[in-house]
Amino acid sequence: MYSGAAAAAGPPRRDFISVTLGPEEAVGVGGYNNSKAWRRRSCWRKWKQLSRLQRSVILFLFAFLAVCGVISYTSMGEAWKSITNKSLDDQRTEQEIPGLKLANPAVLPAPQKADTNHGDYPELSLQKPPKSPHVRRGPSNLQIKASRRDTRLKTRHDTIRAVDELVEADKVEKTEKSIISWRGAVIEPDQSTETPSSKIKEPEKPSSVEAEDQKEPVPINERQLAVIEAFRHAWKGYKDFAWGHDELKPLSKSYSEWFGLGLTLIDALDTMWILGLKEEFEEARKWVANDLVFDKNVDVNLFESTIRILGGLLSTYHLSGDSLFLEKAKDIGNRLMPAFKTPSKIPYSDVNIGRGTAHPPRWTSDSTVAEVTSIQLEFRELSRLTGDEKFQKAVDEVMKHVHTLSGKNDGLVPMFINTNSGQFTHLGVYTLGARADSYYEYLLKQWIQGGRKENELLEDYMRAIEGVKKHLLQRSEPKKLTFVGELAHGHFSAKMDHLVCFLPGTLALGAHNGLAADHMKLAETLIETCYQMYAQVETGLSPEIVHFNLHAQKGHKDVEIKPADRHNLLRPETVESLFYMYRFTGDKKYQDWGWEILQNFNRYTRVPTGGYTSINNVQNPSNPEPRDKMESFFLGETLKYMFLLFSDDIDLINLDKYVFNTEAHPLPIWVPA
Ligand code: DMJ
């Protein structure tokens, strides 16, 4: 370890070995004399006094030890060299899937004790979570306290594992907390996700944990390799033409700025980690370390910067254990806090992160319901990591307030909320699409994050799903696809945003966590519909919005597309739900559907010089009309969920240990006491 104080004290000390052959030699006449010259003479005299045989034996021993040393050095060196070379040469076929490491313990007041009585809501009693048939799975009770070995995210890179073993065996590897560990970083829920305690205390530093894993690594398959290839292609475009900027414009080989904070780079960090793209990650990390500055006079959207930047930094911190990302997360988290200074405590939509001021959009004092209720996972986790409860307090207050509000329709919420009065506005319109979608997602996910104890969240979620069933579900013609429409002042509209396709995945996650089994049935029906939103379209890619036919008409499909809605922004929701469905059922058809979608992205949205582009017309395969923009969520979410969908390793972001935020950034589930 470098020590500044020692360096300042003088030149470095030179260590040497002194061989003392007899006390009389060390303590000469006239007292203690330890000068170098004296010691050299003393050794030589002693040597001369030895018999020839003694000298020969000593010389032989020295020679023998030297030969052994040389032999073991060369064989170690060879093994190391071949391993390193192999891993470098063959990165594509033997990608290391780095392990995960949770960092700090919980430091917040514990949520209320789990209550066996889940209130008076009839469907709140938990069922035993169903088994995923195809893969090893965690305990049915998700109040996990998994053993250290069980919790490891498996390293797939055989060569790197071999290095680990060598290093481990020789005990030459040192823990270097400031350096990212690509090997054997692991989940340590026992240590890291303990129940939030009521005392605010100094959080512990993340510790590099030695790999002890005995489980066979799951090799990367062809489809995952195709995702890695797609990611690299997208990254090449970003690197060549938009490095450090928010979004790539792949056709004009330039970029666009939204917040001017390297949005794509930050959104993609944990994807690179999960895909095992070491070099790309290191390069991006350097940019974060040297160039990412939040002290800027710029207005950012609270929700978007929370889910993409704060969420991305927090999850990367958890995966890598690198404190740089936590520092940056703290910085942006603090800078976003002025948004909560409103008369109602319902946050404003926009914050100037340099000036520390916040405001609503120019034309209204309303905020969007989904936006103010989908920042909770991130701020709660930030409190847990930093020991500063202000972040969690602010977002919990929003949830508590929304819980009590009138204006809901069987648990369904309107799309807007006023920052002055704290009341819903524009009453009477209910959707699971834009402006409301992630409210429902975060009810369930916060409940999971907090260890399934916060009953109000669960109540609101269950009530809302009942509301969906009662008011928004219909079946289309001719295929009788169940879809989620919208309700406007009592009138049903057969319109469904692609955004709604998060719902099958969320329902399946709830069912996996013990909620009503019919949620899983509904998830299975809805994911089929979301798939048909791709399959029934000429390019095999879904438009932004579809309208379903409620009446059979000759020559008409279930899905109708209006000219204004036929764009595709490379969105993740269907692939996200396919991932959950495959994890929980093991049904390979979900992987096959995802594979079709990936191929169609490659066919119609890939730009030869690097990057992918959103398109304007999913109905025209000969000219899908590229829009010249690659959204950050394509790397943050779509490709990440693709990679996870094609994986058969449930420990690759184990859903009993992690909960994804709405931008696909995995955050740890807190473990209850
Ligand atoms: C992402 O930013 C998030 O998934 C958000 O919840 C919805 N919109 C995009 C992806 O479509």
Side-chain angles (χ1 to χ4, degrees):
M1 190 177 70
Y2 175 78
S3 153
R13 204 189 55 174
R14 237 182 270 136
D15 289 329
F16 53 87
I17 299 166
S18 138
V19 183
T20 306
L21 296 172
E24 75 279 13
E25 305 291 64
V27 186
V29 183
Y32 180 68
N33 179 352
N34 197 27
S35 76
K36 270 191 197 165
W38 183 89
R39 269 182 286 128
R40 240 181 266 129
R41 273 201 309 277
S42 155
C43 286
W44 180 243
R45 224 178 297 138
K46 193 74 195 172
W47 176 254
K48 291 294 247 182
Q49 285 166 3
L50 294 176
S51 72
R52 196 180 225 144
L53 180 66
Q54 283 172 314
R55 279 192 240 157
S56 311
V57 170
I58 291 171
L59 284 174
F60 174 77
L61 279 175
F62 272 122
F64 179 73
L65 287 174
V67 169
C68 289
V70 168
I71 289 171
S72 66
Y73 176 80
T74 358
S75 60
M76 275 278 293
E78 279 309 307
W80 184 276
K81 214 164 83 188
S82 69
I83 285 157
T84 317
N85 286 344
K86 197 175 173 209
S87 76
L88 286 175
D89 292 347
D90 208 0
Q91 268 179 357
R92 275 201 55 197
T93 50
E94 290 185 281
Q95 286 298 324
E96 175 195 7
I97 298 302
L100 305 182
K101 171 176 56 182
L102 292 187
N104 293 342
V107 285
L108 283 176
Q112 281 185 340
K113 263 243 168 282
D115 201 345
T116 39
N117 169 16
H118 290 279
D120 54 6
Y121 195 71
E123 290 204 52
L124 292 185
S125 61
L126 297 188
Q127 302 190 350
K128 217 172 168 203
K131 294 206 166 167
S132 303
H134 67 304
V135 278
R136 307 168 302 278
R137 66 181 306 281
S140 56
N141 180 353
L142 297 183
Q143 312 296 302
I144 44 172
K145 276 264 174 194
S147 76
R148 183 174 161 151
R149 235 190 89 193
D150 288 345
T151 57
R152 300 198 179 289
L153 186 83
K154 306 308 170 217
T155 304
R156 291 147 195 264
H157 203 308
D158 289 347
T159 54
I160 301 288
R161 280 170 67 87
V163 171
D164 287 346
E165 279 153 23
L166 265 180
V167 170
E168 191 84 16
D170 285 358
K171 300 218 185 301
V172 294
E173 187 171 67
K174 300 272 189 303
T175 298
E176 288 188 7
K177 287 178 182 161
S178 61
I179 293 176
I180 299 159
S181 164
W182 281 91
R183 44 113 228 122
V186 294
I187 302 168
E188 284 268 285
D190 287 350
Q191 182 191 48
S192 313
T193 53
E194 65 197 39
T195 315
S197 84
S198 57
K199 255 177 50 195
I200 301 288
K201 60 185 180 195
E202 271 299 300
E204 287 170 23
K205 295 268 182 305
S207 56
S208 275
V209 189
E210 300 305 317
E212 279 184 350
D213 176 42
Q214 303 298 313
K215 209 165 106 182
E216 278 302 301
V218 180
I220 288 189
N221 58 47
E222 287 294 316
R223 288 177 175 182
Q224 285 179 292
L225 284 175
V227 179
I228 290 173
E229 195 281 325
F231 184 97
R232 281 200 161 131
H233 183 77
W235 191 248
K236 178 190 163 3
Y238 179 72
K239 201 177 150 185
D240 289 351
F241 311 121
W243 184 251
H245 297 285
D246 283 343
E247 289 130 351
L248 168 68
K249 294 178 78 177
L251 295 175
S252 51
K253 300 193 175 69
S254 62
Y255 56 83
S256 53
E257 294 292 31
W258 189 5
F259 309 143
L261 297 173
L263 215 50
T264 296
L265 188 148
I266 300 176
D267 229 359
L269 283 167
D270 58 4
T271 306
M272 290 186 267
W273 186 276
I274 290 166
L275 269 56
L277 299 175
K278 225 191 235 190
E279 274 172 34
E280 289 85 347
F281 182 88
E282 292 297 348
E283 220 174 337
R285 184 209 181 269
K286 267 190 207 133
W287 184 87
V288 173
N290 301 327
D291 301 297
L292 178 59
V293 179
F294 294 127
D295 191 7
K296 276 187 172 176
N297 179 8
V298 61
D299 276 358
V300 303
N301 174 283
L302 171 69
F303 164 73
E304 297 291 357
S305 52
T306 298
I307 64 169
R308 301 185 199 213
I309 300 175
L310 180 56
L313 291 168
L314 288 174
S315 71
T316 307
Y317 168 65
H318 277 295
L319 299 182
S320 68
D322 185 339
S323 58
L324 166 72
F325 299 108
L326 179 57
E327 289 312 311
K328 293 289 180 185
K330 275 190 233 169
D331 190 3
I332 186 70
N334 275 308
R335 288 171 187 279
L336 292 174
M337 288 306 283
F340 296 90
K341 283 190 200 142
T342 68
S344 66
K345 308 268 179 62
I346 297 297
Y348 290 131
S349 59
D350 296 283
V351 192
N352 187 304
I353 51 173
R355 289 192 179 152
T357 54
H359 57 88
R362 245 176 237 126
W363 58 93
T364 174
S365 54
D366 288 353
S367 285
T368 298
V369 170
E371 293 195 354
V372 301
T373 55
S374 313
I375 48 180
Q376 278 66 16
L377 291 177
E378 300 81 358
F379 278 95
R380 282 156 51 114
E381 179 59 10
L382 188 59
S383 272
R384 197 182 71 89
L385 289 172
T386 59
D388 188 342
E389 60 184 352
K390 72 174 180 231
F391 305 110
Q392 172 154 16
K393 262 179 103 177
V395 293
D396 278 355
E397 201 143 337
V398 177
M399 291 315 294
K400 287 206 177 85
H401 178 78
V402 171
H403 176 73
T404 61
L405 277 185
S406 58
K408 293 180 197 156
N409 186 1
D410 290 318
L412 303 176
V413 289
M415 296 189 289
F416 296 98
I417 186 164
N418 190 272
T419 49
N420 293 321
S421 68
Q423 299 299 309
F424 288 131
T425 63
H426 302 81
L427 301 183
V429 180
Y430 303 99
T431 172
L432 260 79
R435 300 187 184 280
D437 49 357
S438 43
Y439 160 73
Y440 303 101
E441 178 188 351
Y442 268 37
L443 286 174
L444 178 77
K445 288 184 171 177
Q446 285 175 81
W447 176 72
I448 292 173
Q449 177 190 45
R452 307 193 305 180
K453 292 169 176 173
E454 295 150 288
N455 291 335
E456 284 184 355
L457 295 166
L458 179 61
E459 278 170 30
D460 287 350
Y461 176 73
M462 295 300 285
R463 216 164 257 144
I465 299 305
E466 289 309 301
V468 170
K469 287 194 226 163
K470 186 167 164 193
H471 300 288
L472 304 183
L473 289 189
Q474 283 276 5
R475 297 179 91 192
S476 67
E477 294 294 344
K479 284 197 174 219
K480 308 210 180 306
L481 303 172
T482 302
F483 69 92
V484 184
E486 297 183 355
L487 198 64
H489 310 290
H491 294 291
F492 180 80
S493 157
K495 162 180 179 276
M496 180 165 157
D497 293 354
H498 182 271
L499 287 169
V500 182
C501 288
F502 81 92
L503 187 60
T506 299
L507 287 168
L509 181 65
H512 177 74
N513 277 273
L515 303 185
D518 72 328
H519 285 200
M520 193 62 188
K521 284 265 155 285
L522 181 56
E524 281 165 3
T525 339
L526 288 176
I527 190 62
E528 166 80 38
T529 306
C530 289
Y531 168 64
Q532 289 299 329
M533 286 164 64
Y534 286 71
Q536 294 196 9
V537 180
E538 288 79 349
T539 55
L541 291 174
S542 169
E544 179 74 356
I545 299 170
V546 300
H547 287 78
F548 284 94
N549 280 318
L550 292 174
H551 308 288
Q553 279 174 282
K554 217 172 163 211
H556 281 250
K557 298 178 190 162
D558 301 71
V559 166
E560 297 282 348
I561 305 168
K562 304 208 164 164
D565 304 332
R566 58 190 184 197
H567 48 288
N568 178 298
L569 304 183
L570 311 170
R571 285 196 192 276
E573 290 77 16
T574 296
V575 181
E576 169 186 353
S577 284
L578 287 172
F579 156 64
Y580 285 104
M581 296 308 292
Y582 181 67
R583 269 283 166 102
F584 298 139
T585 67
D587 189 336
K588 297 267 180 208
K589 81 175 174 210
Y590 299 124
Q591 286 186 326
D592 295 342
W593 292 352
W595 180 238
E596 275 175 36
I597 294 171
L598 177 63
Q599 285 172 305
N600 290 326
F601 276 134
N602 275 329
R603 213 165 275 143
Y604 298 109
T605 71
R606 187 174 161 116
V607 179
T609 44
Y612 288 73
T613 178
S614 9
I615 53 174
N616 264 332
N617 191 352
V618 291
Q619 293 182 294
N620 188 353
S622 57
N623 180 15
E625 298 167 30
R627 273 194 167 192
D628 195 19
K629 183 155 173 181
M630 183 173 79
E631 300 281 348
S632 79
F633 49 69
F634 184 62
L635 298 189
E637 297 194 70
T638 311
L639 291 179
K640 184 189 288 153
Y641 281 131
M642 286 270 187
F643 188 79
L644 294 171
L645 163 66
F646 298 143
S647 168
D648 276 313
D649 185 0
I650 61 153
D651 286 323
L652 185 58
I653 313 296
N654 188 317
L655 291 174
D656 294 338
K657 292 162 191 149
Y658 281 90
V659 61
F660 283 94
N661 86 341
T662 192
E663 188 76 6
H665 299 304
L667 299 173
I669 294 172
W670 307 343
V671 177

